[in-house]
Amino acid sequence: WDETHFGKMGSYYVNRTFFFDVHPPLGKMLIGLAGYLSGYDGTFPFQKPGDRYEQHNYVGMRGVRLYRLVSSCLALLRFSVQMLELSKSLPAALLTAFILIFDTGCITLSQYILLDPILMFFLMGAVLSMVKCNSCANSPFSASWWFWLSLTGVNLAGAMGVKFVGLFVVLLVGLNTIYDLWDLLGNLSLSLVVFGKHLLARVLCLILLPLVLYTAMFAVHFTVLNKSGPGDGFFSSAFQSRLIGNNLHNVSIPE
């Protein structure tokens, strides 16, 4: 059923038809983009599970094939590096990678038009970036430190932009940041000015950057979906007047 639902959402993006859904737009936009780039024309109805795709080019959307294949490989590499960072053990990293490779749930999820593999990619990316940033604690404000801190913020925005369950990794990174700042505050060799720089860097990279990227996703969402569709009724008349094909299109709406 989920493949039917998210496949239809991807079709809406291909057709630029406005809709309303409970999930943030990033994952569905990536599915729609994969379908568009692979030649899918957005005409398959996705009415019920089990319908045959027949001549429709669904390969790009089903698994966002190229994207999810790359994501799976990156997730394995990231998880391995993460284990090396945390345990400093090559056997542990290899064991973890093999467990993930042969996990039946991951294999099943990667075969269908679902948001979960994309979400897992950003979740793992956020955790890895956080761990790598912690490993650069001895060289704060260096290029690598800024890179991993900023990448953590980017992955947080990606996780939240796919599903709201991504807020759990935001909580994890937030607790790690609070612990880190508390430890820095207790370091008597650091001045309050330096501590203020640490605090400002984390506000910029872990709060403002994810918020800007998250907002930008919705800007792209509303720009792409400019035609009237099944989601019109959830929004105001002023908004509906901007949708091509709506009865209120280009009608002057009083403030």
Side-chain angles (χ1 to χ4, degrees):
W1 186 88
D2 277 353
E3 179 175 65
T4 303
H5 176 72
F6 294 118
K8 183 178 292 186
M9 302 298 104
S11 297
Y12 285 147
Y13 280 106
V14 174
N15 296 318
R16 306 193 67 173
T17 303
F18 188 77
F19 68 95
F20 178 79
D21 189 53
V22 296
H23 298 297
L26 179 59
K28 292 167 292 187
M29 283 196 295
L30 291 174
I31 291 173
L33 178 63
Y36 176 77
L37 294 177
S38 61
Y40 173 63
D41 57 6
T43 58
F44 188 72
F46 285 100
Q47 291 180 343
K48 64 181 185 298
D51 285 348
R52 294 185 178 275
Y53 290 105
E54 302 295 347
Q55 77 279 5
H56 294 279
N57 189 357
Y58 65 93
V59 177
M61 292 177 64
R62 187 176 232 184
V64 192
R65 263 304 165 205
L66 177 60
Y67 176 79
R68 288 189 183 171
L69 179 61
V70 173
S71 298
S72 300
C73 294
L74 285 177
L76 294 174
L77 292 174
R78 285 169 179 266
F79 203 73
S80 299
V81 174
Q82 179 188 340
M83 289 305 297
L84 285 172
E85 288 290 335
L86 293 176
S87 66
K88 307 297 182 183
S89 171
L90 180 60
L94 291 174
L95 176 61
T96 304
F98 277 112
I99 290 175
L100 190 57
I101 289 172
F102 295 108
D103 183 82
T104 306
C106 291
I107 296 172
T108 304
L109 288 175
S110 65
Q111 293 180 3
Y112 300 103
I113 304 174
L114 300 174
L115 301 181
D116 302 272
I118 306 174
L119 174 66
M120 290 166 59
F121 171 75
F122 285 114
L123 291 175
M124 191 54 61
V127 174
L128 173 67
S129 302
M130 178 190 71
V131 173
K132 293 292 289 184
C133 184
N134 289 343
S135 68
C136 298
N138 294 329
S139 55
F141 308 112
S142 62
S144 59
W145 185 87
W146 278 109
F147 173 77
W148 289 113
L149 187 64
S150 301
L151 190 59
T152 303
V154 171
N155 282 308
L156 290 181
M160 290 189 300
V162 176
K163 277 187 175 183
F164 286 123
V165 73
L167 289 171
F168 283 104
V169 78
V170 175
L171 177 62
L172 173 65
V173 173
L175 292 175
N176 176 78
T177 302
I178 292 172
Y179 175 83
D180 189 29
L181 289 174
W182 182 256
D183 188 53
L184 290 172
L185 187 62
N187 188 349
L188 300 180
S189 64
L190 291 180
S191 65
L192 288 178
V193 174
V194 176
F195 176 79
K197 291 180 180 179
H198 277 279
L199 178 61
L200 181 60
R202 285 159 176 80
V203 170
L204 289 174
C205 295
L206 301 181
I207 298 179
L208 294 182
L209 178 60
L211 286 177
V212 169
L213 293 176
Y214 186 76
T215 306
M217 296 171 197
F218 280 92
V220 175
H221 169 79
F222 287 118
T223 300
V224 172
L225 304 182
N226 62 352
K227 297 180 181 179
S228 179
D232 297 13
F234 291 97
F235 290 81
S236 66
S237 299
F239 180 83
Q240 293 182 45
S241 68
R242 300 168 53 189
L243 298 174
I244 300 172
N246 190 282
N247 292 331
L248 299 176
H249 181 54
N250 283 337
V251 173
S252 178
I253 304 295
E255 291 291 336

